Amino acid sequence: MRRLYRLLTRWWTAFALAASLAMLGAAHAFERFGELAPCNLCLKQREVYWGAVAIALVATLWHLISRGSRGTPRIAAFLLAVVFATGAITAGFHFGGELKWWDLPATCAGGGDINLESLAALALGSGPIEKVVMCDAVTWRFLGLSMAGWNALISAALAVFSLLAAKRPKDARAPRI
């Protein structure tokens, strides 16, 4: 257990980078292969992971280049905790809207930008009709949770692990139990 703790806290930014890329890959796979178009809030949740990728990549590269023996910078782990907590809040808000606990904003009515060309093609009948993806419509469930619900749980877990990595002892030793 102590070795796992030491490994996770020492290389947390690399693990966070891998987890963020895996979440983005899963989201794009659901979109591409599962044909589940994202709503506006789904896209906002992806932005959080892109922010985590940027922070984790810079911190991991810094650790590798500087040959840090004590692990990645603790400030990066704290920043990742803030980013992942933001993702958990965003996903939790989306999940609550799906369950009709509260109303979602009006901007959640559609999933794409409207431009003049697409409107003209629609008016002339020469363009494809794009379905508007509603944020409160659940298109996929697993074990009773939608994608937003799973994302809220995963983001919260990543935030907790990031806080553990941020509070690790300076010499990256596991706490004595």
Side-chain angles (χ1 to χ4, degrees):
M1 183 71 164
R2 204 174 273 179
R3 284 184 181 200
L4 180 62
Y5 177 82
R6 190 176 296 161
L7 179 69
L8 279 176
T9 57
R10 186 170 285 179
W11 289 98
W12 174 246
T13 56
F15 286 112
L17 176 63
S20 297
L21 289 173
M23 290 297 288
L24 286 168
H28 289 292
F30 273 106
E31 182 179 351
R32 171 73 99 175
F33 304 115
E35 297 180 1
L36 299 175
C39 67
N40 283 338
L41 280 176
C42 292
L43 295 174
K44 292 293 180 197
Q45 292 168 56
R46 288 183 194 179
E47 290 174 8
V48 170
Y49 284 109
W50 281 114
V53 164
I55 293 167
L57 181 64
V58 169
T60 302
L61 288 175
W62 175 263
H63 174 66
L64 291 172
I65 291 169
S66 68
R67 297 183 185 177
S69 62
R70 294 186 175 185
T72 52
R74 292 164 49 155
I75 189 70
F78 180 74
L79 288 173
L80 285 170
V82 171
V83 168
F84 288 133
T86 302
I89 291 167
T90 305
F93 177 73
H94 188 185
F95 183 62
E98 289 175 343
L99 295 176
K100 310 289 191 251
W101 290 346
W102 46 72
D103 292 330
L104 295 172
T107 58
C108 290
D113 293 331
I114 298 175
N115 59 30
L116 190 57
E117 293 171 3
S118 65
L119 285 176
L122 184 61
L124 296 173
S126 61
I129 298 174
E130 295 183 23
K131 268 176 77 174
V132 175
V133 180
M134 302 298 288
C135 290
D136 60 352
V138 179
T139 57
W140 182 87
R141 282 191 192 273
F142 180 69
L143 298 177
L145 289 178
S146 67
M147 276 194 236
W150 282 109
N151 191 17
L153 289 176
I154 293 168
S155 293
L158 289 170
V160 168
F161 283 122
S162 295
L163 281 177
L164 288 174
K167 75 163 214 69
R168 76 179 192 280
K170 286 187 179 183
D171 61 357
R173 287 183 296 179
R176 304 229 188 276
I177 297 175

